[in-house]
Amino acid sequence: MSSCLLFLMTPRPPPPPLIHADRYPPLVGSANLPTSRRPCPRPGQRHGYLFRCDSSSSSSAPRDRPPRPRQQRQRSQRPGGRGDAVDPVGFLAKLGVTDRAFAQFLRDRHKALKDRRWELCSRFIDLKEASSGFELLGMHRHRQHRIDFMEWAPGARYCSLVGDFNEWSPTENCAREGHLGHDDFGYWFIILEDKLREGQEPDEFFFQEYNYVDDYDKGDNGVDFEEIMHRMKEEYWEPGEIRSRKSQLEMVVKLYEQMFGPNGPQTEEELGEIPDAQTRYNEWKALQKSDSSSLSPSYDIIDSGQPFDIFNVVTDRASFEKFQAKKPPLAYWVEMRKGRIAWLEKYVPTISHKDKYRIYFNTPDGALERVPAWATYVLPDAEGKQSYAVHWEPSPEEIYKWKFGRPKVKGSLRIYECHVGISGSEQSVSSFQEFTSKVLPHIKNAGYNAVQLIGVVEHKDYSSVGYKVTNYFAVSSRFGTPDDFKKLVDEAHGLGLVVLLDIVHSYASADELVGLSLFDGSNDCYFHSGKRGHHKYWGTRMFKYDDVDVLHFLLSNLNWWVTEYQIDGFQFHSLSSMLYTHNGFSTFTGAIEEYCNQYVDKDALIYLILANEMLHDLHPDIITIAEDATFYPGLCEPTTQGGLGFDYCVNLSIPEMWLWHLENVPEREWSMNKIMKVLVSSNQNMLSYVENHNQSISGRKSFTEIILNSGKFSIGSVDGDLIRASLLKIIKLITFTTSGGAYLNFMGNEFAHPKRVEFPMSSNDYSFRLANRQWELLDKGFHKHLFDFDKDVMSLDENERIISRGSPKIHHCDDTSMVISFTRGPFLFAFNFNPELSHQSYHVGVDEAGEYQLILNTDETKYGGCGELKSSQYMRRTCDKRVNGCHNSLELALPSRSAQVYKLVRILRI
C-alpha cells in the first residue's frame, strides 16, 4: 500500500483494571484487559497509538512480556522494587522520620503520581508503550518499500523533510492529505516512497512486499503471481474440488441433471410427487457406494426440519482426518515477500545511508529548519554552525552484529568513570575506536567491573563536557559513529564490564538551531515557559515534567539507550537542578521542610519514580544511580514505599570534605571524627569516591596537584613525593572501604594523574594541552606504585567482597593520635593519618577473638612505602584486654601516614 489511514485514537480513560487505588498499572499489553472493555482500534492502530502497516508474523506476535522469573518478581526488598503493598510513607519509619508535613507531602505526591499514570495510560496503555516512542518517532524503514517519519511539533503549521535526497526542497516530502498530516496531539507523519528504477513497473498486488533488510531464501526466484496461485491449487485442493463456474445457476443445473437426468421434467405437472428426504437420501447413498472413485468427503446432512447447526453434520472418521490434515499453502505466500536482492533490482532508496536531512516547519513566526528531536546521528556542517541529521541505515552486510551478552555485577560495583574525548594521550579529541582498543583493556587490568561514560550523548559545545545535550537519541559524532559506540559497549561486555551512561535529563542545551529550545517555534514545547524554563546560572532549559508528551520523550530516551546500545545502567546527573525551582542553588540546613516546601518540583519527582519503575520492570538487571547534592529523602527506597527507586546514590559530600581538608586545614589538624561522620553518615546504597571529573576540571586542581605542590604537607623523608603521595593511598582506602557497595574512580586518578582537566575554550585559546591523559606515567616513579596499590585494592574487593558486606562498625576514632579503626564483617581496618608520629604498639578493639592476617599494607615498598613492618608482624593474635568497649583487642604497629587491612582467619573460643 502506498499509504494507510493511520490516525491516533481520541484519548479516553483507561479501563478500571489498569488503574488501582494502591498500585500502578502492570507493564503488560492490552491482552490482560477484559474483552468487554478492551478498546477496539481501527485498522492501522495499536493500543490507541499510531504504528506502521506491518503485516509480518513478527509484527503480529503478542507484545506482552513473558512472566518474570520468581527471583525477579521478589524485588520488594531492593531499591526500585515494586513489592506487593503500597505505602506512600513506608520508608519514613525505616529512616526514623516523623515529620507530619513531609508525610502529607508524600501522600499528596502519591495521589499526583496516580493521576499522572492515568494520563499516560489514557494515551499509551502502560509504561512499556509510553517508553517505546523510538519505535515510531524518527525515521524508520517500512516493509513496503518506503520510509516513515514521525515528529512531535504541536506548535507548527506545516511540516516537511528537506535534505540531500530531495535537493532540500521544503514542498516535495511533506505531511499532506493522504499522508496523515498531523493529529490532535501535534504528531506529524511523512511517508518517503522508494523510487522505482527505470524500466520497472509498479506491482499489481498491494500485498506484494520487498524487504530492504532481510535477505530471504525464497522470494527472489522470479516466480510470478499466476504460477504461485496455480501451485497453491495443485497442492491444497483435490482434483475436482475447484471448478470454474460460469454463472450462479450452474450448480443448480448440475444438481437438477443429477437428480432427473438430461431430459428431466420441465413443469411441476411432469415432476410429479417428490419422495421424502429419507427415501431420496437412501437412493443417493446407494449410488455413492457403487461410485468408489468419488473423492469428495462423505458428509451426510439429514433435513429433519430443525434449524441448521454445525452439530447436525455427520461424517466418517477417514474423511474427517483427511480434512484435518489439510494445511493452507502459506509457504507459497512467503514467495510473495521478496528480499533484498529483488528490492535492489526494482527500487532505489528514497533516502540513502548517510544522507543529510533536517525537518522544515512553517510556524506563526515564519519558516524554521531543525534537527529532528529523535535523530539518531547528528553531524555539524562545514562551518561548524548549523548541524544536520544523518540517516543511519547501513546495509545488512555492514550493520553491527553483537557478539557478547550483558555481564552481571556480583557483589560490589567498582566504577571507572571516563570521558572518551580526553581518554587519549594526544592533544586532540579521542575516538570510540581508540578508547575501545586502548582504555578498555586498562580498565579490566586495573580491577574495575564497570565503566561509566560521560559526554557520550550528542552535544554542540565540547567545553561543556557533554552536559549541555542537544540531541538525546544520538551518540556524539565527534567520537565516531553509532556502530563504533556499539562495538565499544560490546567489547566492554566481552571483558566482563558493565557499561553505565551519565544521562542528563535534569536540563538541556538552550541552542535553538540544533537542540530542543524553540523546537517548533513555540517557547513551551519541551520546556517550561518564562523564568521556570531557564536555569538561573547555567543558561540551560528546564524540561516540562508534567507534560505527557515530554514524559514520552524522556522515558523513551532511557529505554532507547538500553534497547539499541545495550547500556546496563544510568547515573542521573545533577538531580538537584530539577528537583527544586531554585535549581539547587540555595542554602540547605538539613531541615526536613526543605524537601517539601514550595520550591520542590513535584512533577520532577514523579518523573524519576516513573523512570525507575519503567527501567526496573522492563530491564530487571538495570542499575540506576542518583547524583543529588541535597540527599533527597528516599532516593534509594522502593517506589512502593514512597521512595524514588534508585539502586545507589552518590555521596557528594565526601569529595568536598577531602578537598576542604586538603586546601584549608593543616594535615596535623585534621579531625578524624569529622571525617568518619561524613564517610559513614548514610552508608547503605551509597556510592563513594575521592574525586571525579568535577574535582579536577576547568580551573580546579586535582588532588595530586594539591598534595604534591602544596607546602602544607610535611616531608619526613628524602623522597618527598612518595611520602606525600602516601596520603593519597590512605584517603582512597578509607573512602573505598566505607562505601555502601559502590565506588567510583575518575580516569587517571588510579595512578595519581598530576594534571587537572581543562577542555578547550576561549579562556585557554581552545587548547587541548590539558584535555588528555598522560598514560605514559603508568610505569614511572610513584605513579606506578600508586597504580599497583589501587589495583590490589580492587583485586582484594573482587576476591573478598569487602564493600558489599554490612555497614562499617567503628571501634576507634581519635583526633589526638589521628588513628581510626573499624570492622566490616571479618575484616579490620586501621588508619594512622598522623604525618609525623608512628605507633609501635597501638591497641585497637575487635569483637571477635582470634588470629588476624595482614592482607594489605599501604607502607609496603611495592607501593612506595618504607616497609617498616616485618613479616613476623603480619599475623596478629588478640588479647583479652578491653579496648574501645570491646572484649578483645589487637596490638598493632602503625607507621605514620599508613593503613592496614587484616582478615580474621581463625576464631578462638574462650
Side-chain angles (χ1 to χ4, degrees):
M1 293 181 291
S2 60
S3 64
C4 296
L5 296 178
L6 308 178
F7 292 95
L8 301 179
M9 291 180 65
T10 304
R12 65 185 67 182
L18 285 177
I19 301 296
H20 192 275
D22 295 316
R23 300 186 63 181
Y24 56 89
L27 294 181
V28 297
S30 60
N32 289 345
L33 301 181
T35 305
S36 60
R37 298 297 302 275
R38 187 181 304 169
C40 298
R42 297 186 296 273
Q45 289 183 330
R46 180 182 62 197
H47 299 320
Y49 200 78
L50 187 149
F51 75 108
R52 298 183 297 278
C53 298
D54 289 354
S55 57
S56 65
S57 58
S58 61
S59 64
S60 60
R63 294 173 55 86
D64 297 344
R65 295 179 292 109
R68 294 163 57 190
R70 181 178 180 182
Q71 63 269 24
Q72 294 179 3
R73 293 198 301 267
Q74 296 174 345
R75 293 181 53 89
S76 59
Q77 300 302 319
R78 65 166 296 177
R82 294 173 58 176
D84 295 327
V86 175
D87 184 358
V89 296
F91 78 93
L92 294 184
K94 174 183 176 182
L95 301 182
V97 178
T98 58
D99 189 272
R100 298 181 64 179
F102 186 65
Q104 185 59 44
F105 174 83
L106 293 181
R107 292 188 178 94
D108 293 341
R109 190 187 72 187
H110 181 67
K111 294 177 182 178
L113 173 63
K114 292 195 292 184
D115 292 340
R116 191 62 40 80
R117 290 197 191 109
W118 182 283
E119 291 182 74
L120 281 171
C121 291
S122 68
R123 290 273 299 278
F124 305 108
I125 298 298
D126 58 17
L127 283 180
K128 180 179 180 181
E129 293 291 332
S131 62
S132 300
F134 56 86
E135 296 180 357
L136 305 173
L137 284 100
M139 195 168 285
H140 300 276
R141 174 155 290 282
H142 193 279
R143 288 177 49 181
Q144 293 180 337
H145 45 79
R146 78 186 202 204
I147 287 180
D148 295 342
F149 176 83
M150 185 185 291
E151 187 65 78
W152 181 61
R157 295 176 174 177
Y158 172 88
C159 175
S160 67
L161 284 176
V162 297
D164 294 336
F165 63 98
N166 62 7
E167 298 181 354
W168 299 86
S169 169
T171 58
E172 183 173 343
N173 299 100
C174 61
R176 58 189 185 275
E177 186 178 356
H179 288 68
L180 280 188
H182 71 89
D183 64 358
D184 294 338
F185 304 112
Y187 287 89
W188 297 83
F189 189 74
I190 300 173
I191 293 177
L192 306 179
E193 298 281 359
D194 291 329
K195 301 173 183 178
L196 281 170
R197 293 185 182 273
E198 186 176 354
Q200 295 288 338
E201 296 293 334
D203 290 298
E204 178 182 358
F205 306 102
F206 74 93
F207 47 79
Q208 176 68 70
E209 294 181 2
Y210 293 82
N211 195 302
Y212 177 78
V213 177
D214 295 329
D215 190 7
Y216 292 113
D217 295 330
K218 297 181 179 181
D220 298 324
N221 51 13
V223 178
D224 57 17
F225 176 75
E226 287 74 14
E227 181 177 349
I228 289 178
M229 294 300 294
H230 174 71
R231 289 161 59 180
M232 289 170 56
K233 293 176 181 179
E234 290 296 322
E235 176 182 313
Y236 186 69
W237 300 106
E238 298 291 344
E241 285 186 322
I242 297 295
R243 300 183 178 90
S244 61
R245 292 170 172 79
K246 299 180 181 179
S247 69
Q248 296 180 352
L249 298 177
E250 180 180 1
M251 180 61 71
V252 179
V253 172
K254 289 181 177 290
L255 181 60
Y256 187 82
E257 290 182 352
Q258 183 180 357
M259 293 175 61
F260 302 104
N263 298 318
Q266 303 297 315
T267 64
E268 292 186 8
E269 291 76 9
E270 296 180 4
L271 179 62
E273 185 178 355
I274 300 177
D276 62 277
Q278 187 65 43
T279 303
R280 297 198 311 270
Y281 169 74
N282 293 335
E283 293 177 353
W284 175 83
K285 193 69 175 178
L287 294 174
Q288 294 298 316
K289 291 181 179 179
S290 61
D291 187 6
S292 59
S293 62
S294 176
L295 298 175
S296 59
S298 56
Y299 295 111
D300 297 354
I301 302 177
I302 305 300
D303 186 3
S304 60
Q306 298 177 353
F308 173 78
D309 188 87
I310 184 82
F311 299 105
N312 298 140
V313 179
V314 182
T315 182
D316 64 309
R317 173 60 59 181
S319 297
F320 178 78
E321 292 178 352
K322 184 178 180 181
F323 177 79
Q324 289 292 97
K326 293 282 188 180
K327 292 183 180 180
L330 298 179
Y332 291 111
W333 286 103
V334 173
E335 298 199 23
M336 293 298 291
R337 298 171 56 194
K338 298 185 181 297
R340 180 171 170 78
I341 298 174
W343 190 97
L344 291 173
E345 293 179 355
K346 193 176 183 69
Y347 290 98
V348 176
T350 181
I351 178 170
S352 301
H353 176 50
K354 295 185 179 181
D355 274 1
K356 300 179 292 185
Y357 71 96
R358 296 192 193 103
I359 190 168
Y360 176 93
F361 293 126
N362 192 347
T363 71
D365 295 327
L368 298 173
E369 282 190 17
R370 293 285 189 260
V371 174
W374 300 73
T376 59
Y377 193 37
V378 178
L379 289 175
D381 68 359
E383 289 81 23
K385 298 180 180 179
Q386 176 75 348
S387 300
Y388 50 80
V390 176
H391 180 54
W392 190 258
E393 189 183 20
S395 64
E397 296 82 12
E398 299 175 351
I399 196 170
Y400 187 80
K401 297 176 178 60
W402 296 89
K403 297 181 294 184
F404 303 104
R406 298 174 184 268
K408 293 184 179 180
V409 174
K410 297 179 180 179
S412 59
L413 195 63
R414 302 184 299 277
I415 304 173
Y416 194 89
E417 185 185 42
C418 308
H419 188 285
V420 173
I422 66 171
S423 64
S425 57
E426 303 297 328
Q427 295 187 20
S428 60
V429 178
S430 191
S431 67
F432 288 135
Q433 294 180 353
E434 293 169 336
F435 185 91
T436 302
S437 62
K438 298 178 181 179
V439 182
L440 282 182
H442 168 75
I443 298 173
K444 177 64 176 179
N445 179 54
Y448 293 86
N449 59 8
V451 52
Q452 180 171 298
L453 299 171
I454 61 176
V456 166
V457 187
E458 183 61 66
H459 52 283
K460 181 179 179 180
D461 185 6
Y462 186 53
S463 65
S464 72
V465 196
Y467 287 128
K468 293 184 178 181
V469 176
T470 53
N471 308 99
Y472 280 81
F473 289 83
V475 296
S476 179
S477 58
R478 56 177 55 87
F479 306 142
T481 67
D483 283 358
D484 291 337
F485 184 61
K486 287 182 180 179
K487 183 177 181 181
L488 186 158
V489 176
D490 200 19
E491 293 296 328
H493 287 168
L495 293 172
L497 302 172
V498 299
V499 181
L500 309 176
L501 192 66
D502 200 54
I503 198 75
V504 187
H505 282 184
S506 49
Y507 53 83
S509 170
D511 193 289
E512 298 176 6
L513 295 179
V514 63
L516 299 176
S517 185
L518 298 180
F519 180 71
D520 61 353
S522 62
N523 195 38
D524 58 352
C525 182
Y526 285 94
F527 310 110
H528 288 291
S529 58
K531 292 183 178 180
R532 191 178 178 187
H534 297 267
H535 196 287
K536 294 182 179 180
Y537 300 96
W538 297 343
T540 51
R541 299 302 308 272
M542 306 305 295
F543 283 107
K544 189 166 50 175
Y545 298 105
D546 60 340
D547 189 282
V548 171
D549 295 291
V550 174
L551 291 177
H552 182 214
F553 177 84
L554 294 175
L555 292 173
S556 297
N557 183 241
L558 294 173
N559 198 12
W560 159 262
W561 289 102
V562 181
T563 303
E564 179 70 13
Y565 291 105
Q566 304 294 305
I567 294 298
D568 302 295
F570 300 96
Q571 174 173 292
F572 286 71
H573 172 74
S574 187
L575 296 188
S576 306
S577 300
M578 63 187 291
L579 294 183
Y580 309 94
T581 55
H582 52 62
N583 304 130
F585 284 83
S586 178
T587 301
F588 280 82
T589 63
I592 195 68
E593 64 179 13
E594 295 171 339
Y595 302 114
C596 58
N597 58 23
Q598 69 272 25
Y599 301 110
V600 176
D601 192 335
K602 189 183 298 181
D603 296 320
L605 289 167
I606 290 173
Y607 161 66
L608 294 176
I609 294 173
L610 293 174
N612 275 296
E613 287 179 352
M614 180 273 295
L615 287 171
H616 285 104
D617 276 3
L618 297 186
H619 313 284
D621 295 321
I622 204 75
I623 300 169
T624 58
I625 304 171
E627 185 190 58
D628 175 28
T630 67
F631 297 95
Y632 195 88
L635 282 172
C636 296
E637 299 299 329
T639 59
T640 54
Q641 299 301 302
L644 300 185
F646 287 95
D647 295 296
Y648 299 95
C649 58
V650 180
N651 192 339
L652 295 171
S653 300
I654 294 176
E656 294 299 326
M657 178 266 294
W658 289 126
L659 181 63
W660 182 78
H661 277 83
L662 290 172
E663 291 185 335
N664 302 290
V665 184
E667 188 178 3
R668 188 63 184 84
E669 299 178 10
W670 285 17
S671 171
M672 302 296 101
N673 284 283
K674 290 181 179 179
I675 290 175
M676 290 305 293
K677 183 178 180 180
V678 174
L679 289 175
V680 299
S681 58
S682 181
N683 179 264
Q684 187 177 9
N685 303 107
M686 187 68 70
L687 185 152
S688 303
Y689 62 90
V690 176
E691 56 178 328
N692 71 348
H693 64 279
N694 289 329
Q695 273 62 47
S696 59
I697 205 165
S698 298
R700 303 181 72 175
K701 294 181 180 180
S702 68
F703 285 4
T704 305
E705 283 184 283
I706 296 173
I707 291 176
L708 297 184
N709 301 331
S710 175
K712 293 195 295 291
F713 302 98
S714 59
I715 302 175
S717 174
V718 177
D719 194 343
D721 283 352
L722 284 175
I723 295 298
R724 287 179 291 191
S726 63
L727 182 60
L728 274 177
K729 290 184 290 185
I730 59 175
I731 287 177
K732 286 188 175 184
L733 183 61
I734 196 171
T735 303
F736 180 81
T737 54
T738 55
S739 63
Y743 175 80
L744 181 143
N745 172 80
F746 180 61
M747 177 176 57
N749 289 342
E750 72 277 12
F751 62 90
H753 197 279
K755 299 295 182 181
R756 66 184 183 276
V757 177
E758 191 174 277
F759 282 78
M761 59 185 72
S762 58
S763 60
N764 59 18
D765 295 327
Y766 299 97
S767 170
F768 283 85
R769 185 176 64 87
L770 296 176
N772 55 13
R773 299 280 86 180
Q774 301 179 35
W775 296 107
E776 67 276 6
L777 297 177
L778 268 171
D779 299 321
K780 296 181 180 179
F782 73 92
H783 297 286
K784 181 180 185 303
H785 294 308
L786 287 175
F787 174 66
D788 290 340
F789 167 75
D790 191 90
K791 181 179 178 180
D792 284 352
V793 171
M794 298 302 113
S795 177
L796 181 63
D797 183 69
E798 174 69 21
N799 297 326
E800 302 289 354
R801 301 284 190 266
I802 291 178
I803 65 174
S804 59
R805 299 177 182 269
S807 299
K809 185 176 182 180
I810 303 173
H811 294 294
H812 184 75
C813 189
D814 189 282
D815 288 341
T816 303
S817 62
M818 300 185 70
V819 173
I820 298 172
S821 72
F822 58 88
T823 56
R824 198 164 187 176
F827 300 96
L828 169 68
F829 305 89
F831 297 84
N832 181 10
F833 276 85
N834 198 306
E836 301 165 351
L837 182 62
S838 297
H839 303 283
Q840 298 301 322
S841 178
Y842 199 95
H843 287 269
V844 296
V846 291
D847 292 321
E848 195 72 58
E851 294 181 349
Y852 288 77
Q853 173 73 44
L854 180 66
I855 58 176
L856 185 69
N857 177 22
T858 64
D859 193 50
E860 288 190 29
T861 55
K862 66 177 181 178
Y863 302 142
C866 300
E868 294 185 16
L869 264 70
K870 307 303 180 184
S871 58
S872 60
Q873 298 174 293
Y874 279 23
M875 180 69 75
R876 311 303 295 170
R877 188 168 182 169
T878 59
C879 61
D880 56 1
K881 180 180 180 180
R882 293 180 64 91
V883 177
N884 307 126
C886 299
H887 292 285
N888 307 284
S889 62
L890 282 177
E891 184 180 354
L892 305 178
L894 301 175
S896 62
R897 279 203 192 103
S898 70
Q900 300 164 11
V901 181
Y902 290 86
K903 181 181 181 181
L904 177 63
V905 294
R906 185 182 178 188
I907 299 176
L908 299 179
R909 300 300 182 190
I910 300 176

